[in-house]
Amino acid sequence: MTTTTGGTPPRLRLPFDLAGLDASPLRTERLVLRPIRPQDADDIHAYQRLPEVVVHLPWPLRDREAGGEHTELRAKQRTLTADGEAVALAVVLPGEPGLGGRGDERVIGDLTLILTSAAHAQVAVGWVLHPDFQGRGYAREAATALLDLATGLGAHRIAATVDAANEPSLALCARLGMRREATFRQDRHGDTGWRDTVIYALTREEWLAGRSAPAR
Ligand SMILES: CC(C)(COP(=O)(O)OP(=O)(O)OC[C@H]1O[C@@H](n2cnc3c(N)ncnc32)[C@H](O)[C@@H]1OP(=O)(O)O)[C@@H](O)C(=O)NCCC(=O)NCCS
């Protein structure tokens, strides 16, 4: 079935520049979300180096040097203008000492926002948390702010691509109210053989309706 909401072309407010979030980070009940910085490399490497974290991600296991280069690269990606571009936000827990002797705020994970189609106002999202901070609702809290950000930019549809064996991420998508739209059978080959991919998504209208509904 094809659904239409009129003939108005989708409008995604581009370019999206992270500069605004440097000056004014997103704040949730317990977290701060701001652009990733090169100085975050120790905190980020603490989860990038864990096999259980990368097992379902398109990330290799990185040593500290490779992790630092990766964080530096992501810190340089500051705008969304063209299809395929991505920006990363650090999930910061205030009051938690950072690794490498850094202050009293630790980067416990990160979020990715990918522009998949400017013409059709489509974005994709991704998330990762250090295992020490999983199971506390932080991913849901951070992802909620990310979906608010994406819909605020005018995204018409937000998708997440998840390994079919990644139960915590599938559960997070469901908790966010995303719809399980597709399963691609054996579309990737990993260390353990062929893998299935699940697509979750929701539209802007669905997200906004869920946000204004009474809390479940
Ligand atoms: C996917 C991932 C981010 C999910 O993290 P998470 O911490 O399980 O997700 P949530 O924030 O939704 O937390 C949910 C859990 O916290 C619990 N919780 C505790 N306090 C909570 C609170 N105040 N509010 C909400 N939930 C709370 C929930 O009951 C739930 O527990 P359960 O898993 O036993 O049911 C995490 O598993 C991860 O980083 N994985 C590795 C990287 C990865 O695979 N990323 C996804 C690629 S698609």
Side-chain angles (χ1 to χ4, degrees):
M1 187 178 74
T2 301
T3 308
T4 59
T5 52
T8 316
R11 279 190 313 174
L12 201 44
R13 276 180 283 287
L14 298 177
F16 169 61
D17 194 314
L18 287 182
L21 292 180
D22 286 324
S24 193
L26 300 176
R27 291 178 194 279
T28 67
E29 197 183 330
R30 298 174 292 175
L31 303 168
V32 174
L33 309 179
R34 51 117 177 112
I36 277 185
R37 302 169 185 152
Q39 307 91 283
D40 298 331
D42 285 325
D43 289 353
I44 293 176
H45 181 246
Y47 51 85
Q48 279 187 324
R49 67 183 181 81
L50 301 176
E52 68 268 33
V53 168
V54 303
V55 62
H56 298 303
L57 292 174
W59 282 2
L61 272 183
R62 293 186 167 92
D63 61 19
R64 178 63 182 78
E65 189 183 350
E69 286 167 5
H70 182 245
T71 293
E72 203 159 315
L73 190 69
R74 289 212 293 169
K76 283 185 187 149
Q77 295 165 342
R78 302 271 306 166
T79 56
L80 294 180
T81 311
D83 293 359
E85 289 179 339
V87 291
L89 296 180
V91 177
V92 175
L93 183 61
E96 180 74 22
L99 301 176
R102 284 203 315 133
D104 63 351
E105 51 169 48
R106 174 157 168 193
V107 177
I108 62 166
D110 61 76
L111 303 169
T112 307
L113 178 64
I114 306 160
L115 177 59
T116 47
S117 169
H120 301 280
Q122 307 284 307
V123 301
V125 289
W127 34 66
V128 51
L129 276 191
H130 190 292
D132 288 354
F133 301 94
Q134 293 175 14
R136 304 193 206 178
Y138 289 139
R140 180 181 184 169
E141 194 171 312
T144 297
L146 182 65
L147 296 188
D148 281 343
L149 175 71
T151 49
L153 291 177
H156 179 69
R157 179 174 178 276
I158 301 161
T161 299
V162 185
D163 187 298
N166 191 350
E167 293 296 341
S169 195
L170 297 173
L172 174 56
C173 289
R175 274 195 289 270
L176 290 166
M178 301 178 91
R179 181 180 36 257
R180 187 171 177 135
E181 293 192 339
T183 302
F184 297 134
R185 295 282 178 217
Q186 301 188 0
D187 65 332
R188 289 169 299 120
H189 194 275
D191 294 344
T192 54
W194 288 105
R195 312 292 290 256
D196 297 346
T197 299
V198 175
I199 306 297
Y200 267 88
L202 48 56
T203 64
R204 180 171 188 278
E205 284 174 7
E206 289 165 344
W207 177 249
L208 296 180
R211 290 294 268 153
S212 58
R216 281 167 288 173

